[in-house]
Amino acid sequence: MSISSAALSSATSTDLTAEPARQDVGARLSAPHAHDRSVAWVDRLWAAIQAADEYWAVDVVTDALNAGVEPEAVLLDVIGAVQHKVGVEWAANRMDVAAEHAATAINDRIIAALPAQRPAAHRGRITVACVDQEWHALPARLVAETLRLRGWRVDYLGAQVPTAHLIGHIHRTGPDAVCLSSSLPTRLPLAHSAITAVQAAGTPVMVGGLAFGVDGRYARLLGADAWAAEARGAADKLAAGPLPQPAAAHQAVDDLPHLSDQEYTAVARSSTQLVRDTFQRLEQRFPAMREYSDDQRERTAEDLAHIVGFLTAALYVDADDVFTSFLVWTAEVLTARNVPARSLPPALDLLGDQLRDFPRALRILDAGRAALTSRP
């Protein structure tokens, strides 16, 4: 069986760029502080989200506030909890991409219903942004709004902030710290560039999001000054005192000595060719692919691009888990959509044929095969 079919295409190429619901390389949207009182409001907001009724959703949030639920609890234990449920429902194939995007948009808009009282004095100024090419903005916004509620002046820059523009903003505004968010591990090289650039400007960096690992391992690896698993943790760390001032300016290879072998650079530069060649070899191995529609062919290429992208990210941080977690998560999503996970190994085999001279890449591909074989 080929790497793609109509079902596989709809399950991976479109959706892998959506908010991952279950990747073991991630952190929660919010801390598990919810109690029975919040659960009732979660159920009401979920009903509004399922109905795609923005006005109903605003009414739920307004009613919760009027009932005495603290704004931070509404933000994190109600809205954040519902957004997490959106991801779970999508991964289980009980919500399609359009419904997931609509739900996320409604959640983003109802955050504006929360009170924005101006404190008598600000704790300080924080810049919150997503790294370049990271368009999953809601986790970063939850952090930004939590900090505002706790008295910080916040410059929220949103999704996909080019590093050069981020540095320009820092020079203009002089924040006490920068909070960077990234949800997909494929953004880790760009996240590293942003971290080192901000630190070179003399500003400490806190990072968070699915990309940095459940325990912040990739945050530490990339030299971030602090890491937080979720919004409350980020606010608590900033309230505890100034973040440590960053060390002297340095290069990526100073944090990641393995980059000196040039495997990451070579694979990243050849990624387009790898996808093209793997597609052609799959077509030769599985003649049925020649009958694919243009849409199916495009989706198959996108599926392969995701696999190469996660392989490249794993090479950057030299961590098999970045790749294996992606493959296992993908297999679970495919299973939920009644697509056999055996559609994945042929692509790994063909990539291995092309990367024979790259020992770290071969090790990561082998780990991916083993992870797929050992899953229940």
Side-chain angles (χ1 to χ4, degrees):
M1 183 176 180
S2 72
I3 186 63
S4 184
S5 64
L8 175 56
S9 299
S10 65
T12 57
S13 56
T14 299
D15 299 335
L16 287 179
T17 56
E19 191 72 53
R22 287 199 65 234
Q23 283 207 55
D24 294 333
V25 294
R28 296 181 299 272
L29 278 169
S30 61
H33 286 214
H35 46 70
D36 291 342
R37 190 176 186 187
S38 294
V39 168
W41 295 106
V42 169
D43 292 340
R44 296 181 194 182
L45 182 57
W46 177 246
I49 291 293
Q50 286 184 301
D53 191 328
E54 180 180 345
Y55 299 107
W56 183 5
V58 171
D59 288 342
V60 171
V61 169
T62 302
D63 290 346
L65 293 168
N66 291 338
V69 182
E70 291 296 322
E72 185 174 301
V74 173
L75 178 69
L76 301 178
D77 298 331
V78 179
I79 299 174
V82 166
Q83 184 63 26
H84 174 74
K85 187 171 183 177
V86 168
V88 171
E89 293 298 292
W90 169 82
N93 202 29
R94 293 188 292 266
M95 176 177 279
D96 64 20
V97 176
E100 182 270 330
H101 285 185
T104 300
I106 291 173
N107 277 334
D108 188 62
R109 288 195 293 271
I110 62 176
I111 290 173
L114 296 174
Q117 297 178 351
R118 181 175 298 178
H122 289 291
R123 291 176 179 263
R125 189 168 189 171
I126 306 293
T127 294
V128 178
C130 295
V131 302
D132 196 5
Q133 297 185 21
E134 178 58 70
W135 59 271
H136 298 83
L138 191 59
R141 188 169 185 194
L142 291 176
V143 172
E145 297 303 326
T146 300
L147 293 176
R148 283 198 183 103
L149 289 171
R150 295 203 187 183
W152 294 89
R153 179 177 178 181
V154 179
D155 299 318
Y156 171 61
L157 307 186
Q160 301 189 93
V161 181
T163 297
H165 294 266
L166 175 62
I167 298 305
H169 176 83
I170 291 169
H171 286 310
R172 289 191 300 272
T173 61
D176 297 290
V178 171
C179 293
L180 289 176
S181 175
S182 184
S183 293
L184 291 176
T186 49
R187 311 294 184 240
L188 284 174
L190 290 169
H192 196 193
S193 296
I195 291 167
T196 55
V198 172
Q199 290 172 332
T203 304
V205 182
M206 176 185 290
V207 300
L210 292 161
F212 295 100
V214 292
D215 56 359
R217 68 185 66 178
Y218 305 122
R220 293 187 293 274
L221 191 66
L222 301 185
D225 301 297
W227 167 81
E230 34 70 35
R232 281 191 177 95
D236 289 344
K237 286 189 177 182
L238 289 170
L243 296 182
Q245 285 300 303
H250 58 286
Q251 302 297 316
V253 72
D254 296 326
D255 295 322
L256 306 173
H258 57 265
L259 292 179
S260 61
D261 68 10
Q262 297 297 307
E263 280 204 37
Y264 162 76
T265 301
V267 174
R269 288 177 176 173
S270 63
S271 58
T272 300
Q273 187 66 42
L274 280 171
V275 171
R276 183 182 302 116
D277 290 350
T278 302
F279 184 98
Q280 292 173 350
R281 296 182 187 198
L282 276 173
E283 196 170 41
Q284 294 169 5
R285 180 177 292 190
F286 303 103
M289 283 182 61
R290 298 167 190 166
E291 305 302 321
Y292 278 10
S293 66
D294 289 343
D295 182 65
Q296 285 177 306
R297 296 176 68 83
E298 180 179 351
R299 299 304 184 193
T300 301
E302 291 176 357
D303 298 337
L304 293 170
H306 286 303
I307 291 173
V308 172
F310 275 84
L311 172 62
T312 303
L315 280 170
Y316 189 82
V317 293
D318 197 33
D320 298 356
D321 184 63
V322 168
F323 189 63
T324 58
S325 294
F326 161 73
L327 286 178
V328 170
W329 176 80
T330 301
E332 292 175 356
V333 171
L334 295 179
T335 300
R337 286 154 173 75
N338 297 316
V339 178
R342 65 175 181 270
S343 57
L344 293 170
L348 305 187
D349 294 339
L350 292 173
L351 283 170
D353 291 342
Q354 298 169 79
L355 297 172
R356 290 188 298 272
D357 297 328
F358 297 92
R360 287 201 296 120
L362 292 177
R363 185 201 76 213
I364 293 167
L365 289 169
D366 286 342
R369 293 188 195 91
L372 290 173
T373 301
S374 63
R375 61 182 290 271

